[in-house]
Amino acid sequence: MNLLAHPMEYAILPKVTIGREINVVTVCTVDHSIRVVTKIKNTMKKTKKKYGRYVALSVALSLLVGTIGVAQESTKLSDPEVAHVAVVANQIDIDYATIATKKSKNADILKFAQTMANDHEAVIKQAAELAKKLGVTPKDNAVSKQLLEDAKKKQKELNGYSRAAFDQAYIDNEVAYHKAVIGAVENLLIPETDNGELKALLENVVPALKAHLAHAEMVQKELTSKK
Amino acid sequence: MNRWIGVFGWFAFAVAAGWLVGGCQQVRHQAAARVDVSLRQMQFAPTEVRVHAGDTVVFTNNDIVTHDVTEETAKLWTSGPLVVGESFAFVAQKDVTYYCSIHPIMKGKITVE
Ligand SMILES: [Cu+2]
């Protein structure tokens, strides 16, 4: 598992926002570098239009250096740590759903949140059962910690929205969060998991995550069209 | 000569047996049949089934989360939540499109021939 000094910032969360305009994918696996470069190119174009050529160039350079820099500082996650990350990532989405249940009055949002709570609960249950069967105790680690820390910030933010603004903010976050988790599970967790059963469980979860993402995008689209 | 009768006899027998077996299958096909649809990896598999009127389509949840099977256009019927391992039988009389109301991106179709 090639994770980084500030793992969440670079490995799990796909978007780092610089200023208001620039979103950059900074994922450090090899197959992602192409995406990173493409993103950097796009960012340069955007920045150039807005701030001029030299600003664009320096932004792109700092991003590239950052990406290479973090790729060098890697850590390896053990299977108990992978299991812990999986549980934490699922729990975070349940917690977001709990906030939605309290704050939203929108039927689509409420139904989506209920599905998230139920499905992610089911995944946690299976992970717990597998861990028990394998005699593995999920182990806290830097990635889990960072995930939780970021989620705490997001939860605070979501709790702070007015009812009118909440639905959009919640569903936008669901789209972003599922994209990030899919990327992390497919490109980081699965390739580096040693135990076959744990790997199979993670692989089984991916279709659910992808269905959740498509569902979230559907609700997001409906919400936007109603505006 | 006897040998040729023997060969012919076996040939006639084979043809008759083939016709009988084929005929039986035909009959069985026309009687109410059971068609299975598996709910797995957030999909109905197969997504589309062709059946005869009166055939029973059995949906079984082989996934890791709860699903349901719900008529899509007017929500005329639903299986209700199917937990992992649970099945739902539906007798098809006419074409129907259905979906999972829990995961609305899951869709399927029954065509009655
Ligand atoms: Cu479903």
Side-chain angles (χ1 to χ4, degrees):
Chain A
M1 155 88 47
N2 283 320
L3 282 173
L4 324 151
H6 303 285
M8 293 318 305
E9 227 168 295
Y10 296 98
I12 311 278
L13 289 183
K15 279 185 172 177
V16 177
T17 308
I18 299 169
R20 288 179 303 140
E21 279 283 313
I22 311 150
N23 291 322
V24 185
V25 170
T26 40
V27 184
C28 73
T29 50
V30 177
D31 54 335
H32 273 91
S33 1
I34 299 161
R35 262 166 60 190
V36 171
V37 169
T38 320
K39 275 277 180 180
I40 288 173
K41 271 187 192 161
N42 291 342
T43 305
M44 266 188 78
K45 247 188 233 163
K46 260 195 208 165
T47 319
K48 205 163 128 187
K49 221 168 157 188
K50 225 174 163 181
Y51 305 103
R53 194 175 170 184
Y54 291 104
V55 179
L57 207 67
S58 73
V59 166
L61 266 176
S62 68
L63 292 173
L64 204 59
V65 168
T67 309
I68 294 165
V70 288
Q72 282 168 347
E73 297 172 60
S74 61
T75 34
K76 164 123 182 114
L77 281 195
S78 66
D79 282 4
E81 287 172 331
V82 167
H84 196 270
V85 172
V87 169
V88 164
N90 279 285
Q91 186 58 50
I92 285 171
D93 206 44
I94 296 174
D95 296 342
Y96 289 145
T98 308
I99 300 175
T101 313
K102 278 188 216 144
K103 290 202 71 142
S104 182
K105 291 272 182 222
N106 179 301
D108 291 335
I109 294 279
L110 290 172
K111 192 145 199 243
F112 176 83
Q114 190 58 54
T115 299
M116 291 310 106
N118 292 343
D119 286 5
H120 288 291
E121 194 61 61
V123 173
I124 290 180
K125 203 176 141 218
Q126 281 172 55
E129 276 166 14
L130 178 62
K132 201 178 159 194
K133 184 185 155 197
L134 299 173
V136 160
T137 310
K139 190 167 173 282
D140 194 10
N141 57 83
V143 180
S144 298
K145 280 202 180 83
Q146 190 67 47
L147 264 175
L148 281 171
E149 210 172 282
D150 290 345
K152 218 177 262 172
K153 275 184 213 146
K154 198 74 203 180
Q155 283 165 12
K156 207 174 161 193
E157 189 191 315
L158 287 174
N159 272 317
Y161 281 108
S162 68
R163 181 155 280 160
F166 174 82
D167 292 345
Q168 190 71 53
Y170 169 72
I171 206 68
D172 289 351
N173 181 53
E174 284 301 294
V175 169
Y177 186 71
H178 278 88
K179 275 185 188 165
V181 172
I182 290 165
V185 172
E186 279 188 329
N187 303 315
L188 300 165
L189 296 184
I190 290 174
E192 294 297 330
T193 301
D194 297 320
N195 181 276
E197 281 181 275
L198 181 57
K199 202 188 266 269
L201 174 65
L202 291 171
E203 280 165 349
N204 263 329
V205 172
V206 172
L209 293 171
K210 286 185 174 169
H212 289 172
L213 172 60
H215 189 175
E217 284 172 336
M218 201 174 99
V219 176
Q220 187 184 44
K221 215 173 157 188
E222 272 162 28
L223 217 60
T224 316
S225 71
K226 273 179 198 158
K227 272 187 178 169
Chain B
M1 184 61 184
N2 271 350
R3 211 175 119 205
W4 284 108
I5 288 171
V7 170
F8 178 75
W10 277 113
F11 178 71
F13 175 74
V15 169
W19 179 78
L20 271 173
V21 170
C24 282
Q25 275 177 348
Q26 196 76 35
V27 170
R28 207 181 301 148
H29 198 65
Q30 275 164 1
R34 170 187 163 142
V35 179
D36 281 285
V37 174
S38 175
L39 283 74
R40 48 154 197 76
Q41 303 206 311
M42 311 304 277
Q43 278 175 345
F44 294 101
T47 309
E48 187 177 349
V49 289
R50 296 180 162 272
V51 300
H52 291 103
D55 285 356
T56 301
V57 182
V58 179
F59 297 90
T60 304
N61 183 359
N62 297 310
D63 211 345
I64 56 170
V65 296
T66 300
H67 294 292
D68 69 28
V69 188
T70 304
E71 196 277 329
E72 197 186 11
T73 50
K75 318 219 171 2
L76 296 172
W77 49 264
T78 181
S79 64
L82 296 175
V83 300
V84 177
E86 235 180 335
S87 289
F88 166 68
F90 174 74
V91 178
Q93 297 297 355
K94 51 182 184 183
D95 291 2
V96 58
T97 57
Y98 60 84
Y99 78 125
C100 168
S101 76
I102 301 168
H103 308 102
I105 60 138
M106 293 173 65
K107 291 172 195 285
K109 194 174 168 183
I110 301 170
T111 306
V112 176
E113 296 181 316

